[in-house]
């Protein structure tokens, strides 16, 4: 929610500034010939800011599970020792240890891009959030969405499980922005 609140606050600050600017321009009547009023431009900008506010729901900004105490994160983003090969490897998401059957939530509005099952990541949901954001939820047990389905932030999309190549029940969660892996902790 931290990023969402920041963006919402920034939009409000910009709108207030633009409204004050328009009011000041209205009171500064001048006889200058050729002066162009900026009021229509400013009003259009305010309208664009209003629509931007709805697009921020497409930025992953909540945790994919209920984790109020922030204690369930068991494998961080970045370099770690592979649990099977015992070699240094890149972990492109985060893992949450959570009881089997726990609810998994969409972290932003979007469309389910793909539902897949693989030997390594098990049952997986991939959501395209627009604006270049994609999220992946792996090792799920029951999937409650279908490919092509529209989801909103906070909608249940699956339950946690132990499918695929896994050392125990957990959820593996990834965020990509324009094809580049992101540290999910930066969006919580």
């Amino acid at each position: 929610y931290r990023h969402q609140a920041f963006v919402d606050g920034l939009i409000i600050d910009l709108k207030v500034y633009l409204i004050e600017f328009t009011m000041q321009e209205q009171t500064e009547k001048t006889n200058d010939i050729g002066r162009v009023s900026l009021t229509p431009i400013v009003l259009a900008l305010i309208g664009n800011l209003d629509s931007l506010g709805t697009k921020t729901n497409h930025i992953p900004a909540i945790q994919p599970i209920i984790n109020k105490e922030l204690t369930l994160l068991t494998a961080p983003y970045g370099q770690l020792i592979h649990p099977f090969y015992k070699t240094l490897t890149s972990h492109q998401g985060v893992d949450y240890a959570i009881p089997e059957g726990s609810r998994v939530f969409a972290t932003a509005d979007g469309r389910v891009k793909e539902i897949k099952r693989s030997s390594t990541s098990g049952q997986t949901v991939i959501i395209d959030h627009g604006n270049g954001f994609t999220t992946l939820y792996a090792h799920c047990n029951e999937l409650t969405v279908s490919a092509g389905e529209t989801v909103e932030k906070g909608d249940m999309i699956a339950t946690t499980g132990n499918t695929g190549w896994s050392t125990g029940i957990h959820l593996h969660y990834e965020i990509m922005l324009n094809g580049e892996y992101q540290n999910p902790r930066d969006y919580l």
Side-chain angles (χ1 to χ4, degrees):
Y1 290 112
R2 183 177 32 167
H3 295 306
Q4 182 77 41
F6 173 76
V7 170
D8 290 346
L10 183 61
I11 289 170
I12 291 168
D13 290 347
L14 283 170
K15 285 170 59 175
V16 168
Y17 173 78
L18 291 171
I19 290 168
E20 289 172 352
F21 177 82
T22 302
M23 292 173 66
Q24 181 180 359
E25 183 187 48
Q26 299 273 327
T27 59
E28 292 178 359
K29 301 282 184 191
T30 180
N31 293 329
D32 291 345
I33 297 178
R35 180 173 180 207
V36 176
S37 173
L38 294 176
T39 301
I41 296 168
V42 170
L43 292 176
L45 283 171
I46 291 171
N48 287 341
L49 287 172
D50 283 337
S51 69
L52 177 64
T54 62
K55 291 179 184 173
T56 60
N57 287 333
H58 293 268
I59 299 172
I62 64 172
Q63 293 188 75
I65 59 165
I66 296 173
N67 185 21
K68 292 179 184 173
E69 290 80 31
L70 305 176
T71 58
L72 302 175
L73 190 65
T74 56
Y77 176 88
Q79 297 292 313
L80 53 77
I81 302 296
H82 191 281
F84 295 106
Y85 296 128
K86 306 299 183 211
T87 59
L88 193 61
T89 187
S90 178
H91 191 237
Q92 293 146 339
V94 294
D95 291 347
Y96 294 94
I98 187 162
E100 186 169 12
S102 297
R103 296 175 295 165
V104 178
F105 305 101
T107 56
D109 295 356
R111 182 173 303 278
V112 178
K113 178 179 177 180
E114 185 178 356
I115 299 288
K116 67 179 185 175
R117 181 173 179 89
S118 77
S119 60
T120 54
S121 54
Q123 292 201 101
T124 302
V125 177
I126 300 171
I127 300 176
D128 182 352
H129 301 284
N131 299 334
F133 282 101
T134 304
T135 52
L136 178 142
Y137 312 78
H139 305 294
C140 298
N141 186 21
E142 179 186 346
L143 305 179
T144 59
V145 292
S146 303
E149 189 174 332
T150 300
V151 295
E152 294 182 359
K153 180 172 29 177
D155 284 353
M156 182 177 159
I157 59 169
T159 61
T160 55
N162 191 21
T163 61
W165 207 9
S166 169
T167 58
I169 300 164
H170 74 286
L171 174 72
H172 175 80
Y173 173 64
E174 296 177 0
I175 298 176
M176 291 183 77
L177 176 59
N178 298 322
E180 298 288 325
Y181 289 101
Q182 305 291 305
N183 185 344
R185 292 186 66 164
D186 293 341
Y187 292 84
L188 304 178

